[in-house]
Amino acid sequence: MWNPLLDPSIPLGDAVDSIETVIVPRARDLGGFEVRRALPSAQRQMVGPFIFFDQMGPAEFLTGEGIDVRPHPHIGLGTVTYLLKGRLHHRDSLGTDAWIEPGAVNWMLAGQGITHSERTDGEARKAPLSMFGLQTWLALPKDREDAVAGFTHLGRDELPELDGEGKQVRLVLGHAWGEKVDLAMPSEVFYADAVLQPGAAIPLPDDHEDRGVYVLEGEVSVGGQVFEAGRMLVFRPGDRISVKAGPQGARIMLLGGATMDGPRFIWWNFVASSRERIEAAKEAWRAGDWQHGRFKLPPGDDGEFIPAPDRYARGRPLPAQRPDRRAERLDH
């Protein structure tokens, strides 16, 4: 398996620092709405299959304001928008019409191609709205890149929860700590939301190769080092690690899984193992043949779409390039 930062000649365990990488997300203020991007980064393209990791907000919208991410395409990935506050209206080219709400999972498998939109519309704009959440993409293995697109919703009451010793943990994807989410995944993965009381500690799953922690609120310590909110920690494979909350407690996301079968190219909303796949998807979207082409527009939200950017990333895999419009910077 491919791991660009794993050197087998370096000893594991107590002989080295257990933290391999600390990522400080790139922050962007979108007119009072801040987005912090931890993945992809200069230090790491992926943690397990996670290739894109954005924190959106927290933010407050006035009555009549909100997010409008127009229909746009994806290939070669699966997406999860996990909300802590607020709600988003999801529509896609499969005909799905669903709301993303706090604590629930909406798993969208792009595979060979899907189009979707995310908006705060209808009743959601008739009152002030708080928004706080995470947007993630998971790269697909090479043998699943052309999979048929799909969508699955799991309510928060369908997700395993562990409660005790000063911690509340909701497993969002995959398997960890003896629990498993009832949702088939294309590769080995875990993704969890943990609320820790002051001084409480949680061990990282030891049955996954690649593991990371993102600090949402408060601060945590690992091996005597303290890390504040807005930091992603990536740990060396094989070490037994516990993360301890600071004196104010903490909320963290734990993520990882098996390393991918090679690096990936990222262009706009496309992820692929080759530039040729990216190029084919780009041309299909620009052709705009919604009736007979590769991409369709979501029923009920087919009056507009996001055009593809003009630039094309050539050479080595590069971080995603996105339009600068406020709402569209928030899309997957």
Side-chain angles (χ1 to χ4, degrees), residues 37-218:
R37 179 162 302 163
L39 296 173
S41 72
Q43 300 99 318
R44 271 275 186 151
Q45 186 187 52
M46 288 181 269
V47 177
F50 289 85
I51 195 167
F52 181 94
F53 191 102
D54 261 11
Q55 174 186 325
M56 52 181 187
E60 301 292 332
F61 291 107
L62 300 176
T63 300
E65 295 183 349
I67 294 172
D68 277 304
V69 181
R70 295 178 291 164
H72 57 280
H74 290 289
I75 67 164
L77 53 84
T79 73
V80 168
T81 299
Y82 185 75
L83 296 181
L84 289 77
K85 296 180 180 179
R87 59 201 306 255
L88 284 169
H89 193 182
H90 166 98
R91 298 183 183 93
D92 64 41
S93 50
L94 301 175
T96 307
D97 188 323
W99 283 88
I100 303 172
E101 298 182 325
V105 166
N106 287 272
W107 166 251
M108 187 180 75
L109 178 67
Q112 63 184 346
I114 197 169
T115 303
H116 79 135
S117 63
E118 286 181 330
R119 303 181 187 265
T120 48
D121 55 13
E123 294 294 323
R125 293 211 179 194
K126 293 184 178 180
L129 177 70
S130 299
M131 185 66 67
F132 188 23
L134 298 160
Q135 295 187 323
T136 55
W137 298 352
L138 282 69
L140 299 180
K142 292 178 181 178
D143 62 358
R144 296 295 302 277
E145 285 184 288
D146 290 325
V148 175
F151 180 90
T152 303
H153 168 85
L154 294 177
R156 60 181 299 160
D157 58 347
E158 299 179 80
L159 302 177
E161 293 191 4
L162 300 92
D163 192 347
E165 300 178 331
K167 48 185 175 282
Q168 294 177 303
V169 184
R170 176 180 295 115
L171 191 59
V172 179
L173 294 176
H175 64 90
W177 306 292
E179 297 287 346
K180 184 177 182 179
V181 177
D182 187 18
L183 176 61
M185 299 301 293
S187 62
E188 182 181 313
V189 66
F190 77 97
Y191 189 32
D193 172 10
V195 177
L196 308 178
Q197 297 302 311
I202 184 171
L204 269 67
D206 56 11
D207 54 350
H208 291 277
E209 178 184 10
D210 223 9
R211 301 166 299 167
V213 165
Y214 184 78
V215 186
L216 274 171
E217 298 174 342

Side-chain angles (χ1 to χ4, degrees), residues 13 16-21 222-223 234-237 239-241:
V16 296
D17 189 342
S18 59
I19 299 176
E20 179 185 87
T21 304
V222 180
V234 184
F235 300 91
R236 292 191 58 83
D239 287 349
R240 293 186 177 274
I241 305 293

